[in-house]
Amino acid sequence: MNDTLSSNRSSAHLTVGDTTKGGSVMSFYLPKGSNRPPQIDRGEGVYLYDRSGKRYFDATSGAVVSNLGHSNPRVVAAMKAQADRVTFAYPRFFESEGNVHLASRLTELAGDGFDRAFFVSGGSEANESAIKLARHYAVVTGQSARFKVIARDPSYHGSTMGALAVTGDSFTESIYAPMARIMPKIPAPLTYRLPAGQTESEYVAACAQALEDKILEEGQESVLAFILEPVGGLSSGAVVSPASYYRTIRQICDKYGVLLIHDEIMSGAGRTGAFLASHHWNGARPDIVTLAKGLAAGYTPFGAVLAPNRIVETVAERGGFVHGHTYFSNPFSCAVAASVLNEVVEQGLIERAATMGEYLDMKLRQLMSRSRLIGDVRGKGLLMAIEIVADKETKRQLPTELNAPAMLTEHGLRNGIALYNRRANRGQFGDIQLITPPLIVEPQQIDELVVALEKSLRGLETELRDRKYLD
Ligand code: PLP
């Protein structure tokens, strides 16, 4: 072993707060004295290996990114081939074959209503771009008064200032609100804990009606768009609503000339068992869709905005979209994403997400019946979540300051399972753990995942009992 390698290995034992210069990005997150996470060495299929050789099941595809699993040989070969040709050429000087090819494949898979694709480097950039495109369209069509983007509470649309302004998270708002123009919110239909006296369908209908009420309250001439995650991410825990909700939302947007934006950064690119989640419901098609995460599946940082001709050409004819980033639509990332998309289609992974999702749902429900900590299982396709509770009967949460999902992650790593969690709203809407394996997952690997998850939940239960949070 060479010196660099051995010194890197020993750095994995450092704790956050060591005064040596450098460290890792975790220095920004973990409290002083915390153990740093293991160092990644390599990935293969649904597994990741740290530098000591320990294997981890990538049970959440990182942050719901690695839809194709790791080290796909065809994608790796496409990356090399593109790197050998050209990695960067600015799109205003040169179009690239990858950009043209990808735009055509992607808009074909997205179907009617999505004619154009704008490529960026991630989810927050995609949402910023979508909101700015909507605003630019309003301005060039004589609707300059429209600027408000209504969103849901809770929700997550990214961490840049514009994306943060439409994100429903009281904690981030408590820090950054003075620097952003926080946008109006309506409740997301979280049906696990219903308001007293309301049935599920009454509550969901009221949540849809809240959009119309909010448009009228804000002044319909000032409302530009409504943005939502059609299948929730971490903030709501893979919440799926009945088809009637999506249709009503669509009708309300049409009635008031409000653009409907679906943030499919987590749910898109096949994860829910359809290329776009809106394909599951008739009459629910949005005007603009954003994608990222699974679109290039972690092989390159990537995101996209899909929009109709009607919007893109109107803006182009009036001088063009005043927006871009250095790496937008770069040849390397476009070629890599095109190769990921080819694999997804050729391996039938969209259909596979639906069938494996049903199997995972069944296994998680069985696990819920054995575990005192799982209060709910929900989701669509391979975008699933469990909700951790202190009491299944009353749905009472564990104390939020405990951060039960982070504790579960620790137990998971010990048991060879990597579970992504990121606190939304400081846990105010529930302790959620996404279960979102790569779309290539096999049934016996789902069994293996559930065994490791059960072991980790048992470990968490014992710890909670020892610390007197459970009897
Ligand atoms: N929107 C949703 C629904 C997400 O889940 C995320 C990331 O988790 C984002 C937007 C932001 O994407 P990124 O982290 O790539 O900027």
Side-chain angles (χ1 to χ4, degrees):
M1 188 192 306
N2 66 37
D3 283 351
T4 317
L5 190 59
S6 58
S7 72
N8 279 346
R9 272 185 199 272
S10 61
S11 79
H13 302 297
L14 291 175
T15 56
V16 174
D18 289 318
T19 49
T20 44
K21 279 158 80 76
S24 82
V25 71
M26 292 314 287
S27 314
F28 289 79
Y29 293 107
L30 296 174
K32 206 168 177 173
S34 312
N35 286 323
R36 280 161 62 172
Q39 280 193 349
I40 189 66
D41 183 37
R42 65 193 177 88
E44 196 180 329
V46 300
Y47 299 107
L48 291 166
Y49 296 82
D50 74 14
R51 296 190 65 180
S52 73
K54 181 168 175 175
R55 190 178 88 164
Y56 304 83
F57 197 114
D58 191 4
T60 50
S61 304
V64 199
V65 171
S66 304
N67 284 10
L68 259 192
H70 301 277
S71 308
N72 177 291
R74 291 213 280 192
V75 177
V76 171
M79 291 171 80
K80 178 158 180 1
Q82 184 60 42
D84 283 343
R85 286 174 71 195
V86 61
T87 50
F88 188 82
Y90 197 61
R92 285 191 191 268
F93 305 148
F94 299 103
E95 276 194 348
S96 75
E97 190 186 331
N99 184 173
V100 173
H101 176 62
L102 179 64
S104 129
R105 276 318 289 282
L106 194 54
T107 50
E108 207 177 285
L109 285 164
D112 285 348
F114 304 104
D115 312 301
R116 300 278 180 250
F118 187 88
F119 298 116
V120 291
S121 304
S124 303
E125 275 188 18
N127 282 336
E128 296 279 347
S129 307
I131 291 167
K132 286 177 74 177
L133 180 64
R135 167 68 186 166
H136 200 145
Y137 175 69
V139 170
V140 300
T141 53
Q143 306 174 77
S144 297
R146 290 190 189 267
F147 72 95
K148 292 176 187 162
V149 180
I150 299 176
R152 307 197 304 181
D153 205 8
S155 62
Y156 185 69
H157 297 294
S159 58
T160 49
M161 289 309 220
L164 179 153
V166 292
T167 286
D169 188 319
S170 55
F171 179 64
T172 47
E173 231 179 273
S174 72
I175 300 173
Y176 301 110
M179 302 167 75
R181 179 157 193 147
I182 299 299
M183 291 289 164
K185 307 289 180 327
I186 60 167
L190 304 182
T191 44
Y192 178 52
R193 292 185 185 84
L194 291 171
Q198 272 186 324
T199 63
E200 182 167 322
S201 58
E202 283 167 353
Y203 175 56
V204 170
C207 289
Q209 182 55 40
L211 176 61
E212 181 161 27
D213 298 346
K214 187 58 87 181
I215 292 172
L216 295 173
E217 182 189 321
E218 294 291 333
Q220 64 180 86
E221 67 296 334
S222 72
V223 180
L224 173 68
F226 174 53
I227 186 166
L228 79 157
E229 298 150 87
V231 177
L234 247 189
S235 61
S236 62
V239 144
V240 194
S241 299
S244 59
Y245 176 82
Y246 302 100
R247 273 198 287 275
T248 308
I249 288 294
R250 176 71 269 180
Q251 286 157 9
I252 294 169
C253 287
D254 287 343
K255 183 169 170 189
Y256 296 100
V258 168
L259 291 170
L260 178 59
I261 304 174
H262 274 190
D263 173 344
E264 290 236 40
I265 279 149
M266 202 177 261
S267 61
R271 178 150 286 277
T272 69
F275 188 70
L276 298 180
S278 58
H279 293 168
H280 291 294
W281 312 290
N282 287 329
R285 192 174 73 208
D287 299 293
I288 299 177
V289 169
T290 54
L291 298 165
K293 295 189 180 268
L295 182 59
Y299 288 86
T300 187
F302 207 61
V305 179
L306 302 181
N309 268 333
R310 160 175 74 87
I311 293 181
V312 177
E313 280 179 13
T314 306
V315 169
E317 279 160 13
R318 313 274 202 300
F321 191 21
V322 185
H323 173 77
H325 300 274
T326 300
Y327 289 105
F328 79 128
S329 299
N330 75 77
F332 180 76
S333 294
C334 287
V336 174
S339 142
V340 168
L341 211 53
N342 270 346
E343 280 294 277
V344 166
V345 172
E346 280 180 26
Q347 289 191 38
L349 295 184
I350 303 172
E351 301 74 21
R352 192 180 178 78
T355 50
M356 288 301 110
E358 276 172 30
Y359 185 65
L360 176 62
D361 181 79
M362 181 196 64
K363 297 294 288 187
L364 290 176
R365 282 178 199 285
Q366 288 170 353
L367 178 58
M368 176 164 66
S369 68
R370 296 193 298 272
S371 167
R372 70 173 283 188
L373 289 180
I374 304 181
D376 195 25
V377 170
R378 53 186 184 250
K380 200 157 187 65
L382 283 173
L383 179 44
M384 297 295 299
I386 57 173
E387 184 155 342
I388 301 166
V389 291
D391 185 328
K392 284 163 74 149
E393 282 291 301
T394 60
K395 304 181 181 176
R396 179 171 57 84
Q397 258 184 274
L398 286 155
T400 50
E401 63 277 12
L402 267 182
N403 196 350
M407 290 169 76
L408 183 63
T409 297
E410 289 290 321
H411 286 276
L413 286 175
R414 260 174 247 141
N415 292 310
I417 182 174
L419 296 164
Y420 160 67
N421 74 77
R422 176 183 48 72
R423 216 87 232 266
N425 276 289
R426 296 232 130 166
Q428 180 195 339
F429 293 94
D431 284 320
I432 287 147
Q433 179 60 61
L434 292 174
I435 308 292
T436 53
L439 311 188
I440 57 167
V441 72
E442 303 278 347
Q444 67 275 16
Q445 291 172 327
I446 289 181
D447 297 346
E448 185 189 321
L449 184 167
V450 172
V451 167
L453 179 62
E454 182 160 20
K455 211 166 157 194
S456 308
L457 283 162
R458 286 232 184 84
L460 173 62
E461 200 180 314
T462 306
E463 184 183 348
L464 290 168
R465 215 176 283 114
D466 290 349
R467 292 172 62 185
K468 311 279 182 247
Y469 289 104
L470 291 177
D471 11 278

